[in-house]
Amino acid sequence: QSALTQPASVSGSPGQSITISCTGTSSDVGGYNYVSWYQQHPGKAPKLMISDVSNRPSGVSDRFSGSKSGNTASLTISGLQAEDEADYYCSSYTSSSPRVFGGGTKVTVL
Amino acid sequence: ELRLLESGGGLVQPGGSLRLSCAASGFTFSSYAMIWVRQAPGKGLEWVSGISNSGGSTYHADSVKGRFTISRDNSKNTLFLQMNSLRAEDTAIYYCAKTIGYYYYYDMDVWGQGTTVTVSS
């Protein structure tokens, strides 16, 4: 199963909004509402930020939001803060395997 | 507090074996599917293996199928990953993770700190 496609890096200034895309196919992202997003700081374990395309688990800031259009899912971070600097991974259910991850996007706060 | 603690990693020669363990606490272990995810040095996340809450159903990624076996002991709140015929490309940090449901395609909401496996001669 091929990994989902994410941009290698995205950057923004504090207070700005950024969006990270996650492109798959009709066999994964486009076919199911089972897209999730994980945040990973260096040397730390991943943290679930968004599940089922747009649901925020308890405790996750409402500055994080998710959406999907066709075969592309998106994670938007509003009011960018220094603590948001991390790697972000999308994940989707697929027709041929339980889960596949994207290649990851490094978010830099300028 | 929900907690997962991995152990069993280390240095092993190509072709060798290792058994990873993941001790769970703070939640009803037998109610949730569990997952192993790995991350090679400087690389992204890779979903490796999953097991249903009862242990009756498992799934392994193609990259490890036939070499790795996931299992669990619900009486001891422990998850395992038996890794055989190890290759250099299996070198990674291995994380165990709890899913939010009884099946392994669910999202992962609790993660361990990871255990490092290095395959090298």
Side-chain angles (χ1 to χ4, degrees), chain A residues 36 38 40 45 51 89 96 98-99, chain B residues 39 44 59 105 107-108 111-112:
Chain A
S36 47
Y38 296 85
Q40 187 181 34
S51 65
Y89 295 89
S96 57
R99 283 281 170 177
Chain B
Q39 187 168 34
Y59 190 96
Y105 58 71
D107 292 316
M108 296 152 276
W111 296 66

Side-chain angles (χ1 to χ4, degrees), chain A residues 26-41:
Chain A
S26 58
S27 295
D28 39 63
V29 174
Y32 311 93
N33 288 325
Y34 293 135
V35 178
S36 47
W37 291 90
Y38 296 85
Q39 176 192 64
Q40 187 181 34
H41 287 108

Side-chain angles (χ1 to χ4, degrees), chain B residues 3 5 27 32 45 63 72 75 80 100 107 116-117 121:
Chain B
R3 190 176 182 192
L5 185 62
F27 64 96
Y32 298 95
L45 302 175
S63 57
R72 64 191 296 163
S75 69
F80 303 100
I100 61 176
D107 292 316
T116 299
V117 172
S121 56

Side-chain angles (χ1 to χ4, degrees), chain A residues 4 13 17 20 28 39 41 60 62 64 69 77 85-86 88 105:
Chain A
L4 306 174
S13 299
S17 293
I20 304 168
D28 39 63
Q39 176 192 64
H41 287 108
V60 173
D62 59 5
F64 292 84
S69 178
I77 308 175
E85 189 162 291
Y88 292 82
T105 297

Side-chain angles (χ1 to χ4, degrees), chain B residues 23-80:
Chain B
S25 60
F27 64 96
T28 305
F29 183 70
S30 60
S31 294
Y32 298 95
M34 298 293 294
I35 307 294
W36 286 98
V37 173
R38 69 184 180 183
Q39 187 168 34
K43 302 297 184 180
L45 302 175
E46 181 186 9
W47 194 101
V48 175
S49 300
I51 187 167
S52 62
N53 66 316
S54 66
S57 181
T58 63
Y59 190 96
H60 299 279
D62 288 344
S63 57
V64 305
K65 198 168 292 183
R67 300 187 300 121
F68 290 12
T69 302
I70 189 172
S71 62
R72 64 191 296 163
D73 184 339
N74 285 347
S75 69
K76 296 183 178 179
N77 293 346
T78 305
L79 176 72
F80 303 100

Side-chain angles (χ1 to χ4, degrees), chain A residues 4-5 32 44 49-50 58 83 90 96:
Chain A
L4 306 174
T5 301
Y32 311 93
K44 300 295 186 181
M49 304 300 285
I50 296 288
S58 175
E83 66 205 50
C90 63
S96 57

